[in-house]
Amino acid sequence: MLGLQWGDEGKGKIVDFVTERADVVVRYCGGANAGHSVVINGQKHSTHLLPVGIFRPGVVNIIGNGVVLDPGALFREIDEFTAKGFSITPQNLLISYKTHLVMPWHILEDAARETGAAGNAIGTTRRGIGPAYADKMQRATAVRVADLADEARLKEKISRIATERSKLLKVLYDAPPVDWRAVFEIYRDHGRRIQPFVTDAGHVLQELIRSGKRVVFEGAHAVLLDVDHGTYPFVTSSNCSGLGVYTGSGAPPNSITNFVGIMKAYTTRVGGGPFPTEQDNDIGNYIRQRGNEYGTTTRRPRRCGWFDAMAVRYSVDLCGVTAVALTLLDVLSGLDHVQICSGYRSGGSRLDYFRADMDTLATVEPIYETLPGWGGNISGCRTFEELPAETQRYVKRLEQLIGAPIRMVSVGPDRTQTIMR
Ligand code: IMP
């Protein structure tokens, strides 16, 4: 299940809905920068690291090796949901020993770089994501879940890496030295608590797939935030498109049969980067208020705009999307007309495909199709035919433009406010 835009497509709700018929849910990328919301019986729950299968008894949840794990954030989440009555135990949560850890210096560096970057900031969530993935690739300065099992080795690693990092942070950002003993003690305690959850998750996943279990891969972020295929450098630091599923989980490439894309009925972005269909005006404000478009992780107001079919088609084609879930359709109710970007004009000529490069995106002009809007409250509709004719027309036009069937339409945050087609 993948976000087809720039994140916040309502993946939490759709993954939760599909998980009713799943045995296993796997997170394969990103970290506590993600925020997935699920509404159950009118109550909203937001996860950052835990797969949303924790809300369904009997579902096995896996945090794959492609995730960068902040253990403090994980335990805060586990404590929060345990207090709310959900059961999170080594029976329903497994963590790969290969998963890399977010360390305090990653968070420090992320924040210091963003603060110092002024006009060149990426607008990150400041959760240490970029520096943690950078250390994973660097190797010598990385700490993995596996390292938490051996306290003597952990101590040696933390003291060595913290000493090196303190020198760098001092030179670059005039930061005070990291107290490596304090960090060691915190991570040693996290390590003791995490051990029962740690396993060879890739191997377990392969066994589950072989035995015919139904596995949902819960994408975080979105295709256009993928470090390789997204709108670089305004992306996150993982392969959060469908192409990262295999490396991030250990699932064999021939094991996945459906790639479900999730997109909202309009477009939003948090953080920097070009956004051709942005509406920095009354339309954007209308969408932001009705869609409650404020970050789940950071509460930042999201930038809002019309649906960009060029961008979504790029994501559909890149990931071989087989079916689409359309979310937040109810947010657009009450507008006189709605617009869809069906092409771009670039340097005087028409560009009929999306290029994820900044130079192009910063200068293109969207070409819009205008359709009639619809009034009334559609959040009570439970079949496609109950929707106003104008709403049906909008959905069918989106479907034609993106080149994939819209199988599911969400008209409200609750599990029940979902139309299957
Ligand atoms: P980072 O992932 O914190 O490094 O942030 C990099 C960029 O990705 C920023 O523009 C963030 O706002 C964006 N981003 C990261 N995760 C999400 C998400 O789950 N939803 C929306 N945007 C995200």
Side-chain angles (χ1 to χ4, degrees):
M1 317 274 313
L2 312 161
L4 297 180
Q5 296 156 315
W6 280 285
D8 312 309
E9 294 91 351
K11 289 183 289 295
K13 168 183 160 162
I14 305 297
V15 178
D16 169 68
F17 186 84
V18 167
T19 302
E20 190 178 8
R21 287 157 31 95
D23 304 301
V24 184
V25 182
V26 186
R27 263 288 297 271
Y28 62 89
C29 65
N33 50 344
H36 295 174
S37 300
V38 177
V39 177
I40 306 166
N41 300 328
Q43 213 193 339
K44 182 173 166 179
H45 307 287
S46 295
T47 67
H48 301 283
L49 280 163
L50 290 170
V52 300
I54 56 139
F55 300 119
R56 303 261 185 199
V59 169
V60 172
N61 296 276
I62 297 179
I63 295 183
N65 57 280
V67 168
V68 283
L69 186 71
D70 177 340
L74 175 74
F75 290 128
R76 279 194 295 280
E77 243 175 86
I78 291 180
D79 292 342
E80 177 192 337
F81 291 119
T82 305
K84 286 180 172 176
F86 296 100
S87 167
I88 302 163
T89 69
Q91 274 65 55
N92 71 344
L93 178 66
L94 314 178
I95 301 172
S96 170
Y97 74 90
K98 297 173 182 167
T99 305
H100 282 250
L101 296 179
V102 174
M103 304 300 291
W105 43 85
H106 295 141
I107 297 170
L108 267 171
E109 183 185 332
D110 195 359
R113 173 167 283 132
E114 284 285 290
T115 304
N120 294 317
I122 291 172
T124 74
T125 60
R126 302 185 175 214
R127 298 294 186 276
I129 304 301
Y133 280 112
D135 271 342
K136 172 177 176 172
M137 295 306 168
Q138 157 65 16
R139 297 158 297 171
T141 48
V143 187
R144 300 199 303 172
V145 167
D147 295 317
L148 297 170
D150 180 336
E151 290 180 10
R153 194 179 59 198
L154 181 70
K155 191 172 186 176
E156 180 281 318
K157 261 200 156 179
I158 288 182
S159 78
R160 176 174 53 79
I161 299 168
T163 306
E164 179 185 316
R165 200 53 53 98
S166 291
K167 286 185 200 160
L168 272 173
L169 291 174
K170 168 83 186 140
V171 173
L172 293 175
Y173 308 111
D174 198 24
V178 174
D179 178 353
W180 72 262
R181 279 178 206 281
V183 174
F184 166 66
E185 281 166 19
I186 293 167
Y187 278 69
R188 178 199 60 203
D189 293 350
H190 288 326
R192 290 177 185 169
R193 190 170 170 195
I194 211 170
Q195 286 320 311
F197 298 95
V198 179
T199 183
D200 192 339
H203 177 71
V204 172
L205 180 61
Q206 288 154 19
E207 297 273 289
L208 289 166
I209 292 171
R210 239 192 310 276
S211 67
K213 298 292 185 206
R214 279 202 273 216
V215 183
V216 174
F217 295 87
E218 178 182 358
H221 325 297
V223 176
L224 299 176
L225 291 171
D226 183 285
V227 68
D228 282 282
H229 295 286
T231 49
Y232 194 89
F234 297 99
V235 292
T236 188
S237 301
S238 62
N239 283 120
C240 52
S241 69
L243 306 189
V245 180
Y246 309 109
T247 46
S249 69
N254 62 353
S255 61
I256 300 177
T257 45
N258 288 309
F259 285 86
V260 179
I262 303 162
M263 61 183 199
K264 44 180 135 193
Y266 46 90
T267 313
T268 63
R269 252 199 117 150
V270 220
F275 178 178
T277 62
E278 182 166 15
Q279 298 296 304
D280 191 7
N281 54 28
D282 288 349
I283 296 279
N285 293 338
Y286 184 84
I287 293 173
R288 187 176 308 104
Q289 292 318 318
R290 287 185 52 90
N292 187 26
E293 293 294 354
Y294 296 90
T296 309
T297 301
T298 59
R299 298 307 299 160
R300 287 180 288 178
R302 296 178 183 142
R303 300 158 66 194
C304 299
W306 294 120
F307 186 88
D308 186 340
M310 298 282 283
V312 171
R313 183 161 196 129
Y314 170 87
S315 299
V316 164
D317 289 346
L318 180 74
C319 302
V321 166
T322 49
V324 170
L326 175 67
T327 61
L328 293 143
L329 185 58
D330 50 303
V331 171
L332 295 183
S333 297
L335 292 167
D336 294 344
H337 67 274
V338 283
Q339 292 193 300
I340 307 172
C341 166
S342 57
Y344 295 141
R345 210 168 279 111
S346 175
S349 52
R350 192 181 167 115
L351 183 69
D352 56 8
Y353 73 102
F354 179 91
R355 275 178 58 106
D357 80 281
M358 292 311 91
D359 295 338
T360 308
L361 279 188
T363 55
V364 294
E365 232 183 274
I367 300 170
Y368 287 113
E369 290 183 9
T370 302
L371 273 67
W374 57 89
N377 182 358
I378 61 168
S379 55
C381 297
R382 293 294 176 271
T383 64
F384 192 66
E385 291 65 35
E386 281 172 64
L387 292 169
E390 294 80 7
T391 321
Q392 293 188 30
R393 188 170 153 198
Y394 182 70
V395 175
K396 287 180 183 163
R397 186 62 188 140
L398 295 186
E399 192 168 57
Q400 282 170 344
L401 289 169
I402 64 168
I406 297 176
R407 296 272 189 236
M408 210 189 262
V409 179
S410 169
V411 290
D414 199 80
R415 277 175 176 172
T416 57
Q417 293 173 304
T418 310
I419 295 171
M420 296 302 292
R421 292 178 79 210

